[in-house]
């Protein structure tokens, strides 16, 4: 870890599977955060989570012994504001899959959050999280909206905050995430419209928007990404010209590195 920290100007840290899981802080996480703060090393927690606002995540991390301010947390939900602004969609009607705080991200971005009764007015679907709503009923609602608009030749914007398919819920425990819901929706759209390019816009890792936002915050120095997922943390960092460290906790166990997903470094855990 000393060698890694000495080699880079800034550090990007995945949250779940690297710093914490549902059981609490992972080994070495508190010590690493303390070292970064003591050395005044620029760092960001870079997370695909869009279920909680940065301030909420900061409180949760602090409760687990990780005093990380909200200003050092970059979530995929934060990226919604730039996307709404770039597309001129302030005031657009939105259906949101996610929690109340997921809806708050959409409101802060300028979207108008609709309930099921107003779905005909929705131009945007934001797939933020897998929790906070009755899954089957709301997925049926979103599917009906998307197909009806496509059938009528009307545009629909599909935003995916968290492209992860699964997350580590604890030792040998896993759960589905928003990315799995998006994969279901994409499969139906591809079957119904084989020649249509699925209008899904992913914002989180491994896609460029979240890494570009991290660079904008930390500057042009040499960065390194510490993550536990080859397909998101490592692949995304590598493709954006950022070195990567695969941390052998979370979802790293049993994963085979190769091609664009080969990490620059490997650590069994943050305690190494």
């Amino acid at each position: 870890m000393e060698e890694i920290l000495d080699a880079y100007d800034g550090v990007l840290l995945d949250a779940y599977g690297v710093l914490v899981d549902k059981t609490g802080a992972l080994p070495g996480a508190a010590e690493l955060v303390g070292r970064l703060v003591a050395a005044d090393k620029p760092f960001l927690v870079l997370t695909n989570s869009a279920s909680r606002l940065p301030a909420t995540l900061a409180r949760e991390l602090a409760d687990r012994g990780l005093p990380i301010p909200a200003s050092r947390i970059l979530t995929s939900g934060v990226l919604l504001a730039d996307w709404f602004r770039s597309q001129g969609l302030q005031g657009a009607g939105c259906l949101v899959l996610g929690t109340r705080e997921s809806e708050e991200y959409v409101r802060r971005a300028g979207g108008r959050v609709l309930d099921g009764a107003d779905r005909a007015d929705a131009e945007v679907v934001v797939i933020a999280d897998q929790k906070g709503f009755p899954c089957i009923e709301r997925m049926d609602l979103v599917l009906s909206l998307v197909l009806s608009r496509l059938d009528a030749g009307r545009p629909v914007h599909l935003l995916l905050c968290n492209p992860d398919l699964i997350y580590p819920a604890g030792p040998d425990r896993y759960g589905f995430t928003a990315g799995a819901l998006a994969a279901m929706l994409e499969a139906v759209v591809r079957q119904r419209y084989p020649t249509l390019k699925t209008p899904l816009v992913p914002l989180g890792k491994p896609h460029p928007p979240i890494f570009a936002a991290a660079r904008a915050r930390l500057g042009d120095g040499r960065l390194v990404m510490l993550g536990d997922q080859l397909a998101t943390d490592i692949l995304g960092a590598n493709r954006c010209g950022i070195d990567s460290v695969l941390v052998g906790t979370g979802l790293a166990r049993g994963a085979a590195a190769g091609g664009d997903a080969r990490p620059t470094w490997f650590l069994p855990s943050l305690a190494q």
Side-chain angles (χ1 to χ4, degrees), residues 38 152 156:
V156 60

Side-chain angles (χ1 to χ4, degrees), residues 84 145 160 172 177 190 210 215:
F84 271 76
L145 168 73
L160 174 58
D172 298 318
T177 67
R190 281 198 304 268
I210 196 165
R215 277 200 179 279

Side-chain angles (χ1 to χ4, degrees), residues 18 25 29 46-47 55 62 103 110 134 221 244 246 251 256:
V18 173
L46 207 65
T47 174
E103 294 179 350
S244 57
L246 181 65
L251 294 174

Side-chain angles (χ1 to χ4, degrees), residues 113-124:
V113 176
L114 304 177
D115 60 24
D118 299 324
R119 73 175 179 85
D121 296 329
E123 301 174 54
V124 182

Side-chain angles (χ1 to χ4, degrees), residues 188-240:
V188 173
V189 172
R190 281 198 304 268
Q191 183 182 67
R192 192 177 180 97
Y193 305 100
T195 61
L196 177 69
K197 183 179 179 182
T198 306
L200 186 74
V201 178
L203 299 178
K205 298 171 291 183
H207 302 281
I210 196 165
F211 291 100
R215 277 200 179 279
R217 288 198 185 188
L218 294 188
D220 295 327
R222 194 178 181 202
L223 303 181
V224 65
M225 173 81 216
L226 279 68
D228 68 309
Q229 293 201 53
L230 289 167
T232 55
D233 305 312
I234 306 306
L235 179 64
N238 291 352
R239 287 181 173 175
C240 290

Side-chain angles (χ1 to χ4, degrees), residues 39-97:
D40 199 24
K41 175 82 71 174
F43 75 94
L44 284 175
V45 174
L46 207 65
T47 174
N48 280 352
S49 173
S51 61
R52 295 179 296 287
L53 299 169
T56 303
L57 285 171
R59 288 194 296 272
E60 291 180 359
L61 291 170
D63 289 343
R64 295 175 179 182
L66 303 176
I68 300 173
S71 60
R72 291 192 182 271
I73 299 174
L74 177 59
T75 73
S76 60
V78 169
L79 305 179
L80 288 169
D82 284 342
W83 192 89
F84 271 76
R85 189 162 44 249
S86 70
Q87 301 299 310
L89 284 172
Q90 283 89 353
C94 305
L95 284 183
V96 180
L97 296 179

